[in-house]
Amino acid sequence: GRVARMAAHAALAYMCYLWAAEQRWIPKVDDGNVGEVLRWNQYWVMYGPNPPKETVSVFITAELASDSGRRVDVLRALRLGDWGAAAQISAEEYRTMRRSHLADMSERFPGPRWERALHRWGRREVGRHQQSARVRGESLARAVCTLAPIGLAAVEVEWRGARIMPPGLRERFERHEGLDERVVVRCE
């Protein structure tokens, strides 16, 4: 009866709000999180009328305090829940990582919210509620320094930009250095 009707009206109002926010007519105060949790948000930008033309690869590595030259792939450590040998990378792996642009980044993140947040943080736009990638990267690196269960000498956060090429071309991505941002924070 009455409760079901009120719930239906609330759901309809939220859907209208979400749609208007996705059109950027009004601000999205909850960032769409309620709609995502309830699976009401059907705004899939990858299939939208304006699919992205640029992307970034996100790399977070940390230099171990105890072993000079050894590094930890922080995203792998967070995904696996293991900061030991499984997440450590050699100097050669680190150099290869620095030169590469990964086509499928999704498997590298601990979860979809990590992926979404880190890609958003790497954008150049700085609005009312956003900070620059450099500021956010420094904050994230300091948090990793503080919260990591092992001793770290430094944390590096890097966004490496690329243009998404049209379908049918041999190379899917073309480097776009204008989107690059690299932050290195020394752990105290």
Side-chain angles (χ1 to χ4, degrees):
R2 180 180 164 103
V3 173
R5 193 169 46 251
M6 287 176 54
H9 287 175
L12 179 62
Y14 183 79
M15 293 296 291
C16 291
Y17 148 78
L18 195 58
W19 179 78
E22 286 165 355
Q23 304 305 314
R24 300 183 195 266
W25 295 345
I26 61 173
K28 219 186 238 190
V29 293
D30 72 341
D31 203 24
N33 291 334
V34 173
E36 278 184 26
V37 168
L38 299 174
R39 296 286 190 221
W40 290 348
N41 186 353
Q42 296 296 312
Y43 184 65
W44 297 350
V45 293
M46 65 186 127
Y47 303 117
N50 300 313
K53 292 178 175 53
E54 300 169 333
T55 186
V56 291
S57 287
V58 183
F59 301 94
I60 306 174
T61 60
E63 184 181 333
L64 295 175
S66 61
D67 189 4
S68 181
R70 294 291 293 179
R71 299 182 87 71
V72 172
D73 180 342
V74 174
L75 291 175
R76 186 185 309 163
L78 291 170
R79 185 171 35 90
L80 299 175
D82 178 10
W83 289 75
Q88 292 182 13
I89 56 176
S90 68
E92 181 59 34
E93 289 174 299
Y94 172 70
R95 281 191 295 275
T96 301
M97 181 186 283
R98 294 277 333 245
R99 291 188 305 264
S100 66
H101 180 83
L102 302 176
D104 184 13
M105 286 293 297
S106 293
E107 67 186 30
R108 293 187 37 77
F109 293 100
R113 289 198 179 260
W114 274 91
E115 180 177 15
R116 184 175 172 192
L118 288 172
H119 275 96
R120 279 187 175 177
W121 291 0
R123 291 185 187 153
R124 289 271 178 223
E125 41 189 76
V126 179
R128 196 175 87 195
H129 298 292
Q130 294 180 330
Q131 298 168 320
S132 71
R134 173 161 295 287
V135 171
R136 289 199 172 178
E138 288 171 354
S139 297
L140 177 60
R142 280 193 297 276
V144 170
C145 282
T146 304
L147 300 174
I150 60 174
L152 303 176
V155 175
E156 176 182 17
V157 180
E158 182 173 9
W159 288 272
R160 195 164 314 117
R163 287 187 183 88
I164 301 172
M165 303 309 286
L169 293 179
R170 191 178 120 131
E171 295 295 324
R172 186 165 175 218
F173 299 101
E174 176 183 272
R175 279 289 282 126
H176 182 16
E177 294 178 9
L179 297 175
D180 291 359
E181 188 71 59
R182 181 171 178 253
V183 175
V184 179
V185 171
R186 306 289 312 161
C187 298
E188 305 287 320

PDB file of all heavy atoms in Angstrom, residues 74-108:
ATOM      1  N   VAL A  74      52.511  -2.108  -5.737  1.00  0.00           N
ATOM      2  CA  VAL A  74      51.537  -1.861  -4.678  1.00  0.00           C
ATOM      3  C   VAL A  74      50.142  -2.342  -5.071  1.00  0.00           C
ATOM      4  O   VAL A  74      49.427  -2.929  -4.250  1.00  0.00           O
ATOM      5  CB  VAL A  74      51.522  -0.365  -4.278  1.00  0.00           C
ATOM      6  CG1 VAL A  74      50.415  -0.062  -3.283  1.00  0.00           C
ATOM      7  CG2 VAL A  74      52.881   0.034  -3.706  1.00  0.00           C
ATOM      8  N   LEU A  75      49.743  -2.125  -6.316  1.00  0.00           N
ATOM      9  CA  LEU A  75      48.417  -2.590  -6.737  1.00  0.00           C
ATOM     10  C   LEU A  75      48.314  -4.105  -6.637  1.00  0.00           C
ATOM     11  O   LEU A  75      47.300  -4.648  -6.207  1.00  0.00           O
ATOM     12  CB  LEU A  75      48.110  -2.122  -8.163  1.00  0.00           C
ATOM     13  CG  LEU A  75      47.886  -0.622  -8.325  1.00  0.00           C
ATOM     14  CD1 LEU A  75      47.720  -0.258  -9.795  1.00  0.00           C
ATOM     15  CD2 LEU A  75      46.690  -0.156  -7.522  1.00  0.00           C
ATOM     16  N   ARG A  76      49.365  -4.811  -7.033  1.00  0.00           N
ATOM     17  CA  ARG A  76      49.379  -6.278  -6.927  1.00  0.00           C
ATOM     18  C   ARG A  76      49.331  -6.700  -5.457  1.00  0.00           C
ATOM     19  O   ARG A  76      48.607  -7.629  -5.094  1.00  0.00           O
ATOM     20  CB  ARG A  76      50.620  -6.858  -7.598  1.00  0.00           C
ATOM     21  CG  ARG A  76      50.593  -8.379  -7.647  1.00  0.00           C
ATOM     22  CD  ARG A  76      51.856  -8.986  -8.202  1.00  0.00           C
ATOM     23  NE  ARG A  76      52.260  -8.410  -9.469  1.00  0.00           N
ATOM     24  CZ  ARG A  76      53.477  -8.542  -9.983  1.00  0.00           C
ATOM     25  NH1 ARG A  76      54.412  -9.226  -9.351  1.00  0.00           N
ATOM     26  NH2 ARG A  76      53.770  -7.996 -11.141  1.00  0.00           N
ATOM     27  N   ALA A  77      50.094  -6.014  -4.612  1.00  0.00           N
ATOM     28  CA  ALA A  77      50.099  -6.336  -3.180  1.00  0.00           C
ATOM     29  C   ALA A  77      48.705  -6.150  -2.575  1.00  0.00           C
ATOM     30  O   ALA A  77      48.243  -6.997  -1.798  1.00  0.00           O
ATOM     31  CB  ALA A  77      51.120  -5.467  -2.444  1.00  0.00           C
ATOM     32  N   LEU A  78      48.026  -5.070  -2.938  1.00  0.00           N
ATOM     33  CA  LEU A  78      46.674  -4.830  -2.424  1.00  0.00           C
ATOM     34  C   LEU A  78      45.680  -5.861  -2.960  1.00  0.00           C
ATOM     35  O   LEU A  78      44.806  -6.328  -2.239  1.00  0.00           O
ATOM     36  CB  LEU A  78      46.219  -3.420  -2.785  1.00  0.00           C
ATOM     37  CG  LEU A  78      46.948  -2.288  -2.058  1.00  0.00           C
ATOM     38  CD1 LEU A  78      46.594  -0.946  -2.683  1.00  0.00           C
ATOM     39  CD2 LEU A  78      46.620  -2.298  -0.579  1.00  0.00           C
ATOM     40  N   ARG A  79      45.815  -6.205  -4.249  1.00  0.00           N
ATOM     41  CA  ARG A  79      44.902  -7.177  -4.849  1.00  0.00           C
ATOM     42  C   ARG A  79      45.083  -8.560  -4.238  1.00  0.00           C
ATOM     43  O   ARG A  79      44.112  -9.253  -3.936  1.00  0.00           O
ATOM     44  CB  ARG A  79      45.124  -7.243  -6.357  1.00  0.00           C
ATOM     45  CG  ARG A  79      44.145  -8.140  -7.092  1.00  0.00           C
ATOM     46  CD  ARG A  79      44.267  -8.016  -8.607  1.00  0.00           C
ATOM     47  NE  ARG A  79      45.608  -7.807  -9.083  1.00  0.00           N
ATOM     48  CZ  ARG A  79      46.458  -8.781  -9.414  1.00  0.00           C
ATOM     49  NH1 ARG A  79      46.110 -10.028  -9.322  1.00  0.00           N
ATOM     50  NH2 ARG A  79      47.681  -8.494  -9.854  1.00  0.00           N
ATOM     51  N   LEU A  80      46.344  -8.972  -4.040  1.00  0.00           N
ATOM     52  CA  LEU A  80      46.632 -10.308  -3.510  1.00  0.00           C
ATOM     53  C   LEU A  80      46.578 -10.369  -1.986  1.00  0.00           C
ATOM     54  O   LEU A  80      46.493 -11.459  -1.416  1.00  0.00           O
ATOM     55  CB  LEU A  80      48.014 -10.775  -3.978  1.00  0.00           C
ATOM     56  CG  LEU A  80      48.223 -10.908  -5.484  1.00  0.00           C
ATOM     57  CD1 LEU A  80      49.669 -11.259  -5.786  1.00  0.00           C
ATOM     58  CD2 LEU A  80      47.276 -11.955  -6.055  1.00  0.00           C
ATOM     59  N   GLY A  81      46.693  -9.215  -1.339  1.00  0.00           N
ATOM     60  CA  GLY A  81      46.770  -9.202   0.116  1.00  0.00           C
ATOM     61  C   GLY A  81      48.106  -9.733   0.608  1.00  0.00           C
ATOM     62  O   GLY A  81      48.213 -10.221   1.725  1.00  0.00           O
ATOM     63  N   ASP A  82      49.133  -9.657  -0.232  1.00  0.00           N
ATOM     64  CA  ASP A  82      50.457 -10.209   0.077  1.00  0.00           C
ATOM     65  C   ASP A  82      51.527  -9.205  -0.342  1.00  0.00           C
ATOM     66  O   ASP A  82      51.663  -8.912  -1.519  1.00  0.00           O
ATOM     67  CB  ASP A  82      50.650 -11.534  -0.668  1.00  0.00           C
ATOM     68  CG  ASP A  82      52.008 -12.160  -0.445  1.00  0.00           C
ATOM     69  OD1 ASP A  82      52.763 -11.681   0.429  1.00  0.00           O
ATOM     70  OD2 ASP A  82      52.318 -13.139  -1.140  1.00  0.00           O
ATOM     71  N   TRP A  83      52.262  -8.678   0.611  1.00  0.00           N
ATOM     72  CA  TRP A  83      53.319  -7.707   0.337  1.00  0.00           C
ATOM     73  C   TRP A  83      54.673  -8.389   0.207  1.00  0.00           C
ATOM     74  O   TRP A  83      55.692  -7.737   0.085  1.00  0.00           O
ATOM     75  CB  TRP A  83      53.360  -6.641   1.432  1.00  0.00           C
ATOM     76  CG  TRP A  83      52.190  -5.720   1.373  1.00  0.00           C
ATOM     77  CD1 TRP A  83      50.912  -5.989   1.763  1.00  0.00           C
ATOM     78  CD2 TRP A  83      52.170  -4.395   0.866  1.00  0.00           C
ATOM     79  NE1 TRP A  83      50.101  -4.912   1.537  1.00  0.00           N
ATOM     80  CE2 TRP A  83      50.846  -3.909   0.997  1.00  0.00           C
ATOM     81  CE3 TRP A  83      53.136  -3.560   0.325  1.00  0.00           C
ATOM     82  CZ2 TRP A  83      50.471  -2.636   0.594  1.00  0.00           C
ATOM     83  CZ3 TRP A  83      52.767  -2.277  -0.060  1.00  0.00           C
ATOM     84  CH2 TRP A  83      51.450  -1.822   0.073  1.00  0.00           C
ATOM     85  N   GLY A  84      54.686  -9.698   0.226  1.00  0.00           N
ATOM     86  CA  GLY A  84      55.924 -10.467   0.151  1.00  0.00           C
ATOM     87  C   GLY A  84      56.381 -10.687  -1.276  1.00  0.00           C
ATOM     88  O   GLY A  84      56.201  -9.851  -2.162  1.00  0.00           O
ATOM     89  N   ALA A  85      56.967 -11.853  -1.511  1.00  0.00           N
ATOM     90  CA  ALA A  85      57.585 -12.180  -2.800  1.00  0.00           C
ATOM     91  C   ALA A  85      56.610 -12.084  -3.969  1.00  0.00           C
ATOM     92  O   ALA A  85      57.009 -11.718  -5.078  1.00  0.00           O
ATOM     93  CB  ALA A  85      58.200 -13.575  -2.735  1.00  0.00           C
ATOM     94  N   ALA A  86      55.332 -12.398  -3.760  1.00  0.00           N
ATOM     95  CA  ALA A  86      54.356 -12.385  -4.859  1.00  0.00           C
ATOM     96  C   ALA A  86      54.173 -10.981  -5.444  1.00  0.00           C
ATOM     97  O   ALA A  86      53.870 -10.831  -6.629  1.00  0.00           O
ATOM     98  CB  ALA A  86      53.012 -12.920  -4.381  1.00  0.00           C
ATOM     99  N   ALA A  87      54.358  -9.955  -4.633  1.00  0.00           N
ATOM    100  CA  ALA A  87      54.145  -8.579  -5.099  1.00  0.00           C
ATOM    101  C   ALA A  87      55.447  -7.864  -5.441  1.00  0.00           C
ATOM    102  O   ALA A  87      55.422  -6.778  -5.995  1.00  0.00           O
ATOM    103  CB  ALA A  87      53.391  -7.784  -4.035  1.00  0.00           C
ATOM    104  N   GLN A  88      56.582  -8.463  -5.135  1.00  0.00           N
ATOM    105  CA  GLN A  88      57.855  -7.806  -5.397  1.00  0.00           C
ATOM    106  C   GLN A  88      58.246  -7.944  -6.861  1.00  0.00           C
ATOM    107  O   GLN A  88      57.962  -8.955  -7.493  1.00  0.00           O
ATOM    108  CB  GLN A  88      58.943  -8.376  -4.493  1.00  0.00           C
ATOM    109  CG  GLN A  88      58.713  -8.018  -3.039  1.00  0.00           C
ATOM    110  CD  GLN A  88      59.797  -8.536  -2.126  1.00  0.00           C
ATOM    111  OE1 GLN A  88      60.846  -8.955  -2.564  1.00  0.00           O
ATOM    112  NE2 GLN A  88      59.510  -8.497  -0.828  1.00  0.00           N
ATOM    113  N   ILE A  89      58.876  -6.900  -7.378  1.00  0.00           N
ATOM    114  CA  ILE A  89      59.323  -6.905  -8.768  1.00  0.00           C
ATOM    115  C   ILE A  89      60.813  -6.561  -8.810  1.00  0.00           C
ATOM    116  O   ILE A  89      61.310  -5.806  -7.976  1.00  0.00           O
ATOM    117  CB  ILE A  89      58.510  -5.915  -9.643  1.00  0.00           C
ATOM    118  CG1 ILE A  89      58.571  -4.482  -9.081  1.00  0.00           C
ATOM    119  CG2 ILE A  89      57.071  -6.367  -9.775  1.00  0.00           C
ATOM    120  CD1 ILE A  89      57.880  -3.435  -9.937  1.00  0.00           C
ATOM    121  N   SER A  90      61.480  -7.111  -9.785  1.00  0.00           N
ATOM    122  CA  SER A  90      62.911  -6.854  -9.945  1.00  0.00           C
ATOM    123  C   SER A  90      63.122  -5.512 -10.643  1.00  0.00           C
ATOM    124  O   SER A  90      62.187  -4.905 -11.158  1.00  0.00           O
ATOM    125  CB  SER A  90      63.551  -7.969 -10.767  1.00  0.00           C
ATOM    126  OG  SER A  90      63.065  -7.907 -12.104  1.00  0.00           O
ATOM    127  N   ALA A  91      64.382  -5.081 -10.682  1.00  0.00           N
ATOM    128  CA  ALA A  91      64.720  -3.824 -11.364  1.00  0.00           C
ATOM    129  C   ALA A  91      64.357  -3.908 -12.843  1.00  0.00           C
ATOM    130  O   ALA A  91      63.883  -2.934 -13.431  1.00  0.00           O
ATOM    131  CB  ALA A  91      66.204  -3.516 -11.179  1.00  0.00           C
ATOM    132  N   GLU A  92      64.552  -5.078 -13.459  1.00  0.00           N
ATOM    133  CA  GLU A  92      64.217  -5.256 -14.886  1.00  0.00           C
ATOM    134  C   GLU A  92      62.699  -5.177 -15.098  1.00  0.00           C
ATOM    135  O   GLU A  92      62.229  -4.535 -16.045  1.00  0.00           O
ATOM    136  CB  GLU A  92      64.761  -6.589 -15.395  1.00  0.00           C
ATOM    137  CG  GLU A  92      64.478  -6.842 -16.862  1.00  0.00           C
ATOM    138  CD  GLU A  92      65.055  -5.765 -17.782  1.00  0.00           C
ATOM    139  OE1 GLU A  92      66.136  -5.214 -17.473  1.00  0.00           O
ATOM    140  OE2 GLU A  92      64.415  -5.456 -18.803  1.00  0.00           O
ATOM    141  N   GLU A  93      61.917  -5.808 -14.226  1.00  0.00           N
ATOM    142  CA  GLU A  93      60.457  -5.734 -14.328  1.00  0.00           C
ATOM    143  C   GLU A  93      59.980  -4.281 -14.155  1.00  0.00           C
ATOM    144  O   GLU A  93      59.054  -3.842 -14.836  1.00  0.00           O
ATOM    145  CB  GLU A  93      59.798  -6.617 -13.269  1.00  0.00           C
ATOM    146  CG  GLU A  93      59.932  -8.105 -13.523  1.00  0.00           C
ATOM    147  CD  GLU A  93      59.396  -8.909 -12.359  1.00  0.00           C
ATOM    148  OE1 GLU A  93      59.927  -8.767 -11.244  1.00  0.00           O
ATOM    149  OE2 GLU A  93      58.442  -9.681 -12.575  1.00  0.00           O
ATOM    150  N   TYR A  94      60.638  -3.563 -13.261  1.00  0.00           N
ATOM    151  CA  TYR A  94      60.286  -2.164 -13.037  1.00  0.00           C
ATOM    152  C   TYR A  94      60.570  -1.335 -14.286  1.00  0.00           C
ATOM    153  O   TYR A  94      59.744  -0.520 -14.702  1.00  0.00           O
ATOM    154  CB  TYR A  94      61.065  -1.622 -11.833  1.00  0.00           C
ATOM    155  CG  TYR A  94      60.912  -0.146 -11.623  1.00  0.00           C
ATOM    156  CD1 TYR A  94      59.701   0.402 -11.197  1.00  0.00           C
ATOM    157  CD2 TYR A  94      61.969   0.724 -11.852  1.00  0.00           C
ATOM    158  CE1 TYR A  94      59.556   1.761 -11.001  1.00  0.00           C
ATOM    159  CE2 TYR A  94      61.837   2.089 -11.654  1.00  0.00           C
ATOM    160  CZ  TYR A  94      60.630   2.603 -11.236  1.00  0.00           C
ATOM    161  OH  TYR A  94      60.478   3.957 -11.048  1.00  0.00           O
ATOM    162  N   ARG A  95      61.723  -1.532 -14.915  1.00  0.00           N
ATOM    163  CA  ARG A  95      62.055  -0.791 -16.145  1.00  0.00           C
ATOM    164  C   ARG A  95      61.065  -1.113 -17.256  1.00  0.00           C
ATOM    165  O   ARG A  95      60.628  -0.229 -17.990  1.00  0.00           O
ATOM    166  CB  ARG A  95      63.489  -1.110 -16.593  1.00  0.00           C
ATOM    167  CG  ARG A  95      64.543  -0.355 -15.802  1.00  0.00           C
ATOM    168  CD  ARG A  95      65.927  -0.477 -16.427  1.00  0.00           C
ATOM    169  NE  ARG A  95      66.430  -1.844 -16.397  1.00  0.00           N
ATOM    170  CZ  ARG A  95      67.059  -2.396 -15.366  1.00  0.00           C
ATOM    171  NH1 ARG A  95      67.251  -1.695 -14.268  1.00  0.00           N
ATOM    172  NH2 ARG A  95      67.493  -3.635 -15.422  1.00  0.00           N
ATOM    173  N   THR A  96      60.693  -2.375 -17.391  1.00  0.00           N
ATOM    174  CA  THR A  96      59.707  -2.774 -18.401  1.00  0.00           C
ATOM    175  C   THR A  96      58.356  -2.117 -18.118  1.00  0.00           C
ATOM    176  O   THR A  96      57.698  -1.618 -19.029  1.00  0.00           O
ATOM    177  CB  THR A  96      59.554  -4.313 -18.427  1.00  0.00           C
ATOM    178  OG1 THR A  96      60.824  -4.891 -18.711  1.00  0.00           O
ATOM    179  CG2 THR A  96      58.537  -4.752 -19.462  1.00  0.00           C
ATOM    180  N   MET A  97      57.968  -2.101 -16.859  1.00  0.00           N
ATOM    181  CA  MET A  97      56.697  -1.482 -16.464  1.00  0.00           C
ATOM    182  C   MET A  97      56.707   0.003 -16.808  1.00  0.00           C
ATOM    183  O   MET A  97      55.717   0.549 -17.299  1.00  0.00           O
ATOM    184  CB  MET A  97      56.483  -1.675 -14.956  1.00  0.00           C
ATOM    185  CG  MET A  97      55.192  -1.096 -14.439  1.00  0.00           C
ATOM    186  SD  MET A  97      55.054  -1.185 -12.635  1.00  0.00           S
ATOM    187  CE  MET A  97      54.643  -2.892 -12.416  1.00  0.00           C
ATOM    188  N   ARG A  98      57.825   0.686 -16.594  1.00  0.00           N
ATOM    189  CA  ARG A  98      57.937   2.116 -16.862  1.00  0.00           C
ATOM    190  C   ARG A  98      57.794   2.443 -18.340  1.00  0.00           C
ATOM    191  O   ARG A  98      57.424   3.540 -18.704  1.00  0.00           O
ATOM    192  CB  ARG A  98      59.284   2.660 -16.363  1.00  0.00           C
ATOM    193  CG  ARG A  98      59.525   2.641 -14.892  1.00  0.00           C
ATOM    194  CD  ARG A  98      58.934   3.791 -14.146  1.00  0.00           C
ATOM    195  NE  ARG A  98      58.799   4.970 -14.953  1.00  0.00           N
ATOM    196  CZ  ARG A  98      59.432   6.100 -14.765  1.00  0.00           C
ATOM    197  NH1 ARG A  98      60.232   6.235 -13.775  1.00  0.00           N
ATOM    198  NH2 ARG A  98      59.243   7.126 -15.552  1.00  0.00           N
ATOM    199  N   ARG A  99      58.127   1.489 -19.212  1.00  0.00           N
ATOM    200  CA  ARG A  99      58.055   1.736 -20.661  1.00  0.00           C
ATOM    201  C   ARG A  99      56.716   1.303 -21.274  1.00  0.00           C
ATOM    202  O   ARG A  99      56.433   1.633 -22.407  1.00  0.00           O
ATOM    203  CB  ARG A  99      59.176   0.977 -21.378  1.00  0.00           C
ATOM    204  CG  ARG A  99      60.557   1.513 -21.108  1.00  0.00           C
ATOM    205  CD  ARG A  99      61.579   0.849 -22.006  1.00  0.00           C
ATOM    206  NE  ARG A  99      61.579  -0.600 -21.922  1.00  0.00           N
ATOM    207  CZ  ARG A  99      62.398  -1.330 -21.149  1.00  0.00           C
ATOM    208  NH1 ARG A  99      63.283  -0.736 -20.392  1.00  0.00           N
ATOM    209  NH2 ARG A  99      62.328  -2.636 -21.146  1.00  0.00           N
ATOM    210  N   SER A 100      55.936   0.560 -20.554  1.00  0.00           N
ATOM    211  CA  SER A 100      54.759  -0.069 -21.160  1.00  0.00           C
ATOM    212  C   SER A 100      53.486   0.749 -20.957  1.00  0.00           C
ATOM    213  O   SER A 100      53.401   1.586 -20.077  1.00  0.00           O
ATOM    214  CB  SER A 100      54.561  -1.466 -20.578  1.00  0.00           C
ATOM    215  OG  SER A 100      54.232  -1.378 -19.207  1.00  0.00           O
ATOM    216  N   HIS A 101      52.519   0.464 -21.800  1.00  0.00           N
ATOM    217  CA  HIS A 101      51.156   0.937 -21.594  1.00  0.00           C
ATOM    218  C   HIS A 101      50.297  -0.318 -21.647  1.00  0.00           C
ATOM    219  O   HIS A 101      50.250  -0.997 -22.670  1.00  0.00           O
ATOM    220  CB  HIS A 101      50.696   1.929 -22.669  1.00  0.00           C
ATOM    221  CG  HIS A 101      49.301   2.399 -22.419  1.00  0.00           C
ATOM    222  ND1 HIS A 101      49.012   3.416 -21.543  1.00  0.00           N
ATOM    223  CD2 HIS A 101      48.121   1.953 -22.872  1.00  0.00           C
ATOM    224  CE1 HIS A 101      47.714   3.576 -21.488  1.00  0.00           C
ATOM    225  NE2 HIS A 101      47.153   2.712 -22.286  1.00  0.00           N
ATOM    226  N   LEU A 102      49.660  -0.634 -20.562  1.00  0.00           N
ATOM    227  CA  LEU A 102      48.906  -1.878 -20.494  1.00  0.00           C
ATOM    228  C   LEU A 102      47.533  -1.714 -21.119  1.00  0.00           C
ATOM    229  O   LEU A 102      46.810  -0.774 -20.796  1.00  0.00           O
ATOM    230  CB  LEU A 102      48.776  -2.326 -19.040  1.00  0.00           C
ATOM    231  CG  LEU A 102      50.115  -2.538 -18.333  1.00  0.00           C
ATOM    232  CD1 LEU A 102      49.879  -2.891 -16.879  1.00  0.00           C
ATOM    233  CD2 LEU A 102      50.908  -3.628 -19.019  1.00  0.00           C
ATOM    234  N   ALA A 103      47.188  -2.642 -22.001  1.00  0.00           N
ATOM    235  CA  ALA A 103      45.893  -2.580 -22.685  1.00  0.00           C
ATOM    236  C   ALA A 103      44.755  -2.914 -21.733  1.00  0.00           C
ATOM    237  O   ALA A 103      43.688  -2.337 -21.815  1.00  0.00           O
ATOM    238  CB  ALA A 103      45.891  -3.535 -23.877  1.00  0.00           C
ATOM    239  N   ASP A 104      44.969  -3.852 -20.822  1.00  0.00           N
ATOM    240  CA  ASP A 104      43.911  -4.240 -19.898  1.00  0.00           C
ATOM    241  C   ASP A 104      44.367  -3.985 -18.476  1.00  0.00           C
ATOM    242  O   ASP A 104      45.045  -4.805 -17.871  1.00  0.00           O
ATOM    243  CB  ASP A 104      43.541  -5.706 -20.078  1.00  0.00           C
ATOM    244  CG  ASP A 104      42.369  -6.109 -19.203  1.00  0.00           C
ATOM    245  OD1 ASP A 104      41.703  -5.208 -18.659  1.00  0.00           O
ATOM    246  OD2 ASP A 104      42.125  -7.308 -19.064  1.00  0.00           O
ATOM    247  N   MET A 105      44.009  -2.837 -17.959  1.00  0.00           N
ATOM    248  CA  MET A 105      44.416  -2.461 -16.610  1.00  0.00           C
ATOM    249  C   MET A 105      43.498  -3.071 -15.548  1.00  0.00           C
ATOM    250  O   MET A 105      43.882  -3.187 -14.404  1.00  0.00           O
ATOM    251  CB  MET A 105      44.392  -0.947 -16.457  1.00  0.00           C
ATOM    252  CG  MET A 105      45.511  -0.214 -17.141  1.00  0.00           C
ATOM    253  SD  MET A 105      47.114  -0.538 -16.417  1.00  0.00           S
ATOM    254  CE  MET A 105      46.921   0.104 -14.772  1.00  0.00           C
ATOM    255  N   SER A 106      42.282  -3.461 -15.900  1.00  0.00           N
ATOM    256  CA  SER A 106      41.306  -3.883 -14.900  1.00  0.00           C
ATOM    257  C   SER A 106      41.822  -4.994 -13.999  1.00  0.00           C
ATOM    258  O   SER A 106      41.548  -5.004 -12.802  1.00  0.00           O
ATOM    259  CB  SER A 106      40.011  -4.337 -15.571  1.00  0.00           C
ATOM    260  OG  SER A 106      39.397  -3.231 -16.175  1.00  0.00           O
ATOM    261  N   GLU A 107      42.557  -5.927 -14.554  1.00  0.00           N
ATOM    262  CA  GLU A 107      43.040  -7.047 -13.744  1.00  0.00           C
ATOM    263  C   GLU A 107      44.110  -6.626 -12.744  1.00  0.00           C
ATOM    264  O   GLU A 107      44.434  -7.360 -11.837  1.00  0.00           O
ATOM    265  CB  GLU A 107      43.572  -8.159 -14.638  1.00  0.00           C
ATOM    266  CG  GLU A 107      44.818  -7.763 -15.397  1.00  0.00           C
ATOM    267  CD  GLU A 107      45.249  -8.818 -16.393  1.00  0.00           C
ATOM    268  OE1 GLU A 107      44.400  -9.540 -16.914  1.00  0.00           O
ATOM    269  OE2 GLU A 107      46.451  -8.900 -16.644  1.00  0.00           O
ATOM    270  N   ARG A 108      44.666  -5.444 -12.889  1.00  0.00           N
ATOM    271  CA  ARG A 108      45.730  -4.985 -11.986  1.00  0.00           C
ATOM    272  C   ARG A 108      45.183  -4.370 -10.700  1.00  0.00           C
ATOM    273  O   ARG A 108      45.898  -4.272  -9.718  1.00  0.00           O
ATOM    274  CB  ARG A 108      46.610  -3.947 -12.682  1.00  0.00           C
ATOM    275  CG  ARG A 108      47.416  -4.503 -13.808  1.00  0.00           C
ATOM    276  CD  ARG A 108      48.400  -3.502 -14.371  1.00  0.00           C
ATOM    277  NE  ARG A 108      49.044  -2.621 -13.437  1.00  0.00           N
ATOM    278  CZ  ARG A 108      50.062  -2.958 -12.625  1.00  0.00           C
ATOM    279  NH1 ARG A 108      50.518  -4.168 -12.633  1.00  0.00           N
ATOM    280  NH2 ARG A 108      50.599  -2.065 -11.824  1.00  0.00           N
TER     281      ARG A 108
END
